[in-house]
């Protein structure tokens, strides 16, 4: 019996025929469902839910953030990826950071800012696939910004953690997040009038552009990237602000950078998993995101007797962790924007490559970072790339010792095992067979100061660039940083039927491995697969400032059991036992066993699925 079936699921797996939405916040899920009830499709619902997420989870994402989408248009019979990851400014060069005496791009402030991608992605998706008038899609987010929403306890705690930074250095953020001069209480009614006004102005300019949904979406997009938002961003980043270097720096982003950007559309990267009911295809982003890491892990694990592996928690976690180490080492050595770097992704995901990597998994935990040889790169050079990355991290940590680091990077899981959050996620399935999986992130309140008058922050995804010119993820003007954001779809015989994903930074494509195995191989319901005890390894080069590695590190939920933890420790894993319900925020929605189904994560007390 799989470990996902050893307990009663926390909630029912929803089943219906009309449609379903699952996300990391109940208000977003219900907003998306309201769009379906009004006759909208999955694309209308996902955009409305995503805009609400920008308002109600400000510590996890924002209107000025980034948002990759994997979608399936049932009418066209085509799946595609919308790359909502913004690019580096035209003046962002490695030499500029060297002149500033920096070995890494700071994790907060203006220097790490890239082009905001979320709003342009929602508007592009609506313009090409949506059916509802723009006002119906945007009004819920405007209402929550102006009239208020219950501030999540984690949001309140995040504001408290950066209170002094706001008071001393980021006055525009203090004006929004310290109402009345104090940190708001958990579940206080929180408003952001400037954000509401920004959304309302975007809506009005969209409506002025025409009467069709497509014209309105394009009008709003233009107002953001070529109008008042771009102008405000350009003016603000010229003012130096404090960042994780302990110094004040001006930014590089300009209105021209925003004006020239649109989300790209591309074919998904696809991997295959054998299941008792036939092969399943998993659709992810390209190697500008870490999505292929999931496919690499599944390819390695595909060589195991997976039904048998699911009956042994120790063997499952050990194999999963060791496969993740190998896949992440290849990520750190090879992944980057393929428009700028030669990424041998087909080879890295090939059955032959997985078969060659699989024997590296032994009975003991590996203590090395072990990328393989692919393309024209030798194993020695691949390892050298990781060594250089860790050396830069070590130098930065030493140089900034004792400086304030509040708001650094993308906080995911604390040492106590609390999922602090970093990102959001939404999945939608409608009655016509359309699917959307989207992962909004960036522009976190703790990582970038509020742009005055707009009520939103900028995305600091530039911290994921390397300043090593030999790295495939090296900084370059107009280049996409290698994001961790990783939405996904599952298909049978080439037709997508399930949308899934989770927040979690480097953990996103680890937490979804047991979910998919329990559901696709073990036959667990969506909710039971989400509820199953989770784990992840920290044995990788962190994607976030200061880009360190924690070799042999494994975090497991306490529900895995003392005996299993002891057995893993005997195998050489540095196991940290965290809270019983603390890892992962997975949601899923799709068509399973003849029903529209959905489920959402109970961890964190905020994710919810709705449907009928």
């Amino acid at each position: 019996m799989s470990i996902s079936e050893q307990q009663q699921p926390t909630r029912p797996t929803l089943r219906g025929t009309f449609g379903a939405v699952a996300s990391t916040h109940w208000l977003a899920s219900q907003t998306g469902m309201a769009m379906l009830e009004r006759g909208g499709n999955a694309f209308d619902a996902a955009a409305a839910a995503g805009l609400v997420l920008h308002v109600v989870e400000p510590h996890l994402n924002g209107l000025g953030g980034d948002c990759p989408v994997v979608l399936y248009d049932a009418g066209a019979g085509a799946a595609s990826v919308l790359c909502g990851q913004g690019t580096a400014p035209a003046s962002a060069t490695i030499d500029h950071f060297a002149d500033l005496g920096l070995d890494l791009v700071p994790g907060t402030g203006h220097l790490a800012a890239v082009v905001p991608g979320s709003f342009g992605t929602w508007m592009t998706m609506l313009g090409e696939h949506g059916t509802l008038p723009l006002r119906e899609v945007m009004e819920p987010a405007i209402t929550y910004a102006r009239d208020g929403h219950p501030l999540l306890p984690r949001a309140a705690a995040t504001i408290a953690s950066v209170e002094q930074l706001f008071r001393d250095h980021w006055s525009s953020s203090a004006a929004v997040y310290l109402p009345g001069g104090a940190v708001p209480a958990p579940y206080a009614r929180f408003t952001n009038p400037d954000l509401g006004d920004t959304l309302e102005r975007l809506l009005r300019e969209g409506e002025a552009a025409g009467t069709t949904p497509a014209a309105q979406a394009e009008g709003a997009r233009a107002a953001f990237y070529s109008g008042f938002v771009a102008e405000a961003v350009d003016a603000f980043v010229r003012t130096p602000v404090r960042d994780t270097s302990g110094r004040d720096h001006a930014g590089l982003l300009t209105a021209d950078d925003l004006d020239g950007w649109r989300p790209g559309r591309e074919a998904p990267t696809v991997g295959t998993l054998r299941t008792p009911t036939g092969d399943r295809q998993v659709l992810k982003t390209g190697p500008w995101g870490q999505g292929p890491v999931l496919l690499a892990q599944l390819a390695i694990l595909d060589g195991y007797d997976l039904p048998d592996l699911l009956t042994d928690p120790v063997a499952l976690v050990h194999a999963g962790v060791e496969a993740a180490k190998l896949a992440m080492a290849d990520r750190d050595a090879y992944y980057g924007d393929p428009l700028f770097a030669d990424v041998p992704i087909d080879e890295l995901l090939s059955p032959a490559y997985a078969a060659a990597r699989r024997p590296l998994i032994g009975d003991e935990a590996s203590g090395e970072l072990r990328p393989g040889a692919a393309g024209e790169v030798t194993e020695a050079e691949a390892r050298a790339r990781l060594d250089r990355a860790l050396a830069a991290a070590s130098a930065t940590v030493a140089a900034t010792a004792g400086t304030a680091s509040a708001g650094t990077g993308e906080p995911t899981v604390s040492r106590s095992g609390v999922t602090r959050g970093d990102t959001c996620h939404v999945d939608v399935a409608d009655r016509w067979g359309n699917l959307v999986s989207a992962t909004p992130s960036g522009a976190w309140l703790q990582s970038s100061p509020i742009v005055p008058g707009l009520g939103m922050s900028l995305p600091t995804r530039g911290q994921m660039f390397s300043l090593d010119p030999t790295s495939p993820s090296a900084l370059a003007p107009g280049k996409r940083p290698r994001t961790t954001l990783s939405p996904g779809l599952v298909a049978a015989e080439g037709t997508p039927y399930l949308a899934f994903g989770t927040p979690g930074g480097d953990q996103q494509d680890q937490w979804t491995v047991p979910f998919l195995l329990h559901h696709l191989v073990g036959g667990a319901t969506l909710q039971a697969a989400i509820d199953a005890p989770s784990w992840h390894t920290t044995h990788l080069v962190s994607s976030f400032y200061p880009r360190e590695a924690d070799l042999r590190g494994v975090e497991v939920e306490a529900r895995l059991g003392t005996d299993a933890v002891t057995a893993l420790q005997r195998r050489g894993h540095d196991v940290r036992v965290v809270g019983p319900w603390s890892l992962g925020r997975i949601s899923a929605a799709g068509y399973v066993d003849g029903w529209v189904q959905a489920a959402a994560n109970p961890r964190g007390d905020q994710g919810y699925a709705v449907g009928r």
Side-chain angles (χ1 to χ4, degrees), residues 539-602:
H539 184 109
L540 48 88
V541 179
S542 172
S543 296
F544 302 96
Y545 185 96
R547 311 293 300 277
E548 295 177 286
D550 177 24
L551 302 183
R552 289 194 176 89
V554 177
E555 298 195 350
V556 303
E557 290 184 322
R559 289 179 296 129
L560 193 67
T562 302
D563 291 345
V565 169
T566 300
L568 290 168
Q569 290 171 329
R570 287 175 180 154
R571 291 186 180 222
H573 297 285
D574 180 9
V575 182
R576 291 183 290 273
V577 180
V578 298
W581 295 93
S582 60
L583 301 182
R585 296 171 67 209
I586 297 170
S587 64
Y591 317 97
V592 181
D593 297 332
W595 299 102
V596 178
Q597 295 195 14
N601 176 53

Side-chain angles (χ1 to χ4, degrees), residues 433-451:
N434 299 306
L435 290 167
V436 178
S437 175
T439 309
S441 186
W444 313 295
L445 70 86
Q446 65 272 26
S447 61
S448 180
I450 287 283
V451 181

Side-chain angles (χ1 to χ4, degrees), residues 324-363:
K325 290 178 182 179
L326 296 173
M328 287 293 189
D330 283 336
R331 179 200 73 170
D332 296 333
Y334 291 102
Y335 287 20
D337 186 343
L339 298 178
F340 288 76
D342 183 13
V343 184
I345 195 64
D346 290 341
E347 180 179 354
L348 292 171
L349 298 180
S350 68
Y353 188 83
R357 299 283 274 164
R358 195 175 298 119
L360 294 176
I361 299 178
D363 293 334

Side-chain angles (χ1 to χ4, degrees), residues 54-61 149-168 170-192 406-408 411 420-421 443-448 450 455 457:
H54 295 333
V55 176
V56 301
E57 294 192 299
H59 58 311
L60 308 180
N61 80 136
H149 57 90
L151 188 70
L152 295 168
R154 280 309 317 163
T158 300
I159 294 168
S161 73
V162 289
E163 176 186 5
Q164 204 59 46
L165 174 68
F166 286 3
R167 294 188 186 281
D168 294 344
W170 294 3
S171 59
S172 58
S173 293
V176 172
Y177 291 111
L178 300 176
V183 175
Y187 296 120
R189 189 175 184 128
F190 184 81
T191 63
N192 186 340
T408 297
R420 296 179 292 182
W444 313 295
L445 70 86
Q446 65 272 26
S447 61
S448 180
I450 287 283
S457 300

Side-chain angles (χ1 to χ4, degrees), residues 87-91 115 225 252-262 478:
T87 52
S91 59
V115 174
Y225 290 90
L252 302 171
L253 197 62
T254 68
D256 286 342
D257 292 316
L258 273 70
D259 185 54
W261 185 86
R262 283 181 181 266

